[in-house]
Amino acid sequence: MVDTLGQAARIHSTVDDGRAVVWRQWGAGPLVVLLHGNSGSWTHWARNIAALAERFTVLVPDLPGHGDSDLPAGDVSCAAFARLLWQGLDQIAGPDANVALAGFSLGSVLAESMARQQPQRVRQILLLRGAFSRTVPRPPELLRWRGIADPAEAARIHRHNLEVSMFGDAALIDDEAVRLHADNLERCRLDTRPLLASRELEAFLGLRCPVHGIAGERDVYGGGDAPAQGRALREVLPQAVFDMIPGAGHWAAYEAADTVNALMVRSLEMKHDQI
């Protein structure tokens, strides 16, 4: 599936200070930008792109230092990455293009920073993550995978880490999920800790566009209480819509792709029609 999807993509390479960001494009229609999670790549959206591309132009970058993109030349922060992404969009779609942004995990906070910088160009934001309160639960303990020479043991570790951090139902972790996860980790060259620490909370608090929060019921980063996270989102952003994905974990867009795809398409079509 992923190989076929990758072969069908139109590839863009946008450059800032000699460093390239690689984007992939599918479909036609209103522009939707998908931003992947920490230590990931465009393949975080492998089960969502085709459904969205039936109705939208879908653009997915590999974030700087991830996947096929070069390490950034300057500051590693949400604000700097947001500026870099806007520059790339200007090169691909033009400086007047307006977009809907959908971000998974780290990508969701980058979407917030992008909206803060150019709010007039953002039609709406979809935030796919577990936590919408100001306090984020302690992350799960993961097993170390670097330096493991035995492929079978490495795969076992990756499967374990997916079980405790990304999936709600371990039985749904297929071989492709393990392969994509392992490949993304291997290709991430960026120390993402400064990026994660630089989140602009004021960007989230200041969102004025339509907002759709989507969280897995069993997302460990939501503290095991997705309804409470939905209430926290609505308290801060009364215009927001919130949907919980029953039984799913953090990577709900993969684990429960059909459900998430239907929600995303419906939300994107409804909001676009209203503008």
Side-chain angles (χ1 to χ4, degrees):
M1 175 186 69
V2 172
D3 292 342
T4 301
L5 196 60
Q7 292 167 6
R10 179 181 179 187
I11 306 296
H12 303 275
S13 183
T14 60
V15 179
D16 175 78
D17 198 15
R19 308 294 179 89
V21 174
V22 176
W23 304 66
R24 287 169 172 83
Q25 177 180 334
W26 297 263
L31 183 57
V32 177
V33 176
L34 307 180
L35 302 175
H36 66 74
N38 183 26
S39 300
S41 76
W42 71 271
T43 63
H44 268 169
W45 301 100
R47 290 188 170 181
N48 318 107
I49 289 167
L52 295 173
E54 291 179 1
R55 298 166 175 84
F56 307 101
T57 297
V58 179
L59 269 176
V60 192
D62 283 348
L63 296 175
H66 295 71
D68 293 329
S69 294
D70 293 336
L71 284 163
D75 181 30
V76 175
S77 69
C78 287
F81 273 40
R83 285 191 293 271
L84 192 62
L85 291 168
W86 277 123
Q87 291 170 13
L89 279 169
D90 290 349
Q91 294 178 40
I92 296 168
D96 297 323
N98 69 83
V99 301
L101 301 173
F104 165 52
S105 196
L106 168 63
S108 71
V109 300
L110 292 176
E112 295 165 4
S113 292
M114 290 182 70
R116 186 184 188 200
Q117 291 177 8
Q118 299 203 42
Q120 74 284 0
R121 295 179 63 183
V122 179
R123 298 193 305 274
Q124 71 177 117
I125 287 184
L126 282 69
L127 304 174
L128 286 78
R129 65 172 187 248
F132 296 97
S133 61
R134 297 194 184 200
T135 58
V136 178
R138 182 183 180 90
E141 293 290 335
L142 303 179
L143 299 179
R144 293 185 60 84
W145 56 272
R146 291 191 186 277
I148 302 298
D150 179 12
E153 176 63 9
R156 185 194 68 80
I157 290 173
H158 287 309
R159 187 177 293 272
H160 167 84
N161 289 344
L162 284 169
E163 179 179 350
V164 300
S165 67
M166 298 282 267
F167 278 70
D169 183 351
L172 298 178
I173 304 173
D174 58 7
D175 291 342
E176 182 167 59
V178 175
R179 179 176 67 85
L180 295 180
H181 182 65
D183 183 64
N184 284 333
L185 290 173
E186 288 282 0
R187 295 199 298 154
C188 181
R189 287 93 59 213
L190 184 75
D191 180 355
T192 61
R193 288 172 295 181
L195 186 59
L196 293 165
S198 73
R199 183 196 175 188
E200 300 178 293
L201 183 59
E202 59 271 29
F204 170 63
L205 299 176
L207 290 173
R208 295 294 176 262
C209 62
V211 177
H212 189 171
I214 299 175
E217 180 184 17
R218 299 177 182 172
D219 191 322
V220 295
Y221 298 100
D225 193 346
Q229 293 295 338
R231 292 192 294 272
L233 172 64
R234 293 294 304 278
E235 287 171 5
V236 173
L237 302 172
Q239 82 274 24
V241 173
F242 176 77
D243 281 294
M244 182 184 75
I245 311 302
H250 190 55
W251 196 8
Y254 186 97
E255 183 179 6
D258 289 345
T259 301
V260 172
N261 290 343
L263 288 172
M264 292 179 71
V265 167
R266 185 168 72 239
S267 180
L268 290 163
E269 287 188 326
M270 179 179 65
K271 298 304 181 183
H272 176 68
D273 290 343
Q274 290 178 354
I275 293 174

